[in-house]
């Protein structure tokens, strides 16, 4: 049996052209269940990264965070509301840090996909083109045989 706990911490660092917003959710799982989970394939990881960042970007562009919330894990949904997400990511909207074109580009992983000490899948990397650089660290929990977001840390910078 596993128990899951989630907590939220949000941090914003606003620079002239850079924004870092971090949502980190901590979840604790028993060690036996964490090791029983298989990592997704490279293609599945690619889909998780691109779809999560596109959903995040769409939410920032529209100011509507209900889809991002609905696609999140149970822990994410218990800790957040669409209004809390809108407030946390207001700086993306005010600075117009939108990056819809970049997610079709190649990206570099900053670390190999892994399960962290709480059993969450961690995917981190960077997209970069002539206009913008987007660094990300995404955390996912497995729920109903699908990986669902439990944490988003994105640093977007116009170049």
């Amino acid at each position: 049996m596993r128990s899951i706990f989630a907590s939220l911490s949000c941090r914003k660092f606003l620079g002239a052209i850079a924004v870092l917003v971090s949502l980190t959710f901590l979840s604790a799982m028993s060690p036996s269940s964490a090791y029983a989970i298989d990592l997704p394939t490279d293609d599945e990881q690619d889909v998780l990264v691109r779809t999560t960042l596109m959903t995040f970007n769409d939410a920032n562009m529209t100011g509507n965070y209900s889809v991002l919330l609905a696609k999140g894990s149970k822990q994410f949904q218990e800790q957040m509301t669409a209004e809390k997400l809108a407030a946390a990511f207001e700086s993306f909207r005010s600075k117009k840090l939108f990056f819809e074109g970049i997610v079709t580009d190649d990206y570099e992983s900053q670390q190999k996909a892994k399960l962290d000490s709480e059993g969450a899948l961690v995917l981190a990397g960077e997209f970069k083109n002539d206009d913008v650089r987007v660094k990300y660290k995404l955390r996912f929990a497995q729920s109903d045989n699908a990986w669902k977001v439990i944490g988003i840390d994105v640093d977007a910078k116009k170049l």
Side-chain angles (χ1 to χ4, degrees), residues 30-43:
S30 68
S32 61
S33 64
Y35 293 112
I37 298 173
D38 290 327
L39 290 177
T41 66
D42 290 346
D43 287 342

Side-chain angles (χ1 to χ4, degrees), residues 8-103:
L8 164 72
S9 69
C10 176
R11 59 188 164 124
K12 295 182 188 177
F13 298 101
L14 301 175
I17 58 174
V19 173
L20 172 65
V21 177
S22 173
L23 292 177
T24 304
F25 295 90
L26 302 175
S27 62
M29 297 180 162
S30 68
S32 61
S33 64
Y35 293 112
I37 298 173
D38 290 327
L39 290 177
T41 66
D42 290 346
D43 287 342
E44 291 167 335
Q45 292 172 35
D46 185 63
V47 169
L48 284 170
V49 167
R50 292 177 192 277
T51 59
T52 301
L53 290 177
M54 278 309 304
T55 301
F56 172 75
N57 188 68
D58 289 347
N60 289 329
M61 290 180 76
T62 64
N64 182 349
Y65 292 83
S66 59
V67 174
L68 179 62
L69 185 62
K71 291 176 77 173
S73 67
K74 290 176 186 173
Q75 304 96 300
F76 189 80
Q77 293 173 3
E78 289 170 359
Q79 293 294 315
M80 297 304 299
T81 64
E83 293 78 22
K84 285 181 183 179
L85 288 169
F89 295 117
E90 188 279 329
S91 58
F92 277 80
R93 292 187 312 280
S94 67
K95 293 185 179 282
K96 298 192 184 308
L97 288 171
F98 308 136
F99 47 84
E100 63 271 32
I102 204 165
V103 296

Side-chain angles (χ1 to χ4, degrees), residues 112-148:
K112 188 174 175 139
K114 66 177 182 176
L115 296 177
D116 66 15
S117 61
E118 287 105 21
L121 171 66
V122 179
L123 301 175
E126 177 179 20
F127 285 90
K128 185 177 179 182
N129 65 19
D130 293 337
D131 300 320
V132 68
R133 177 191 46 84
V134 178
K135 289 186 179 182
Y136 64 88
K137 182 175 183 182
L138 306 172
R139 294 182 70 230
F140 300 88
Q142 205 167 47
S143 176
D144 300 324
N145 294 320
W147 290 102
K148 301 206 176 185

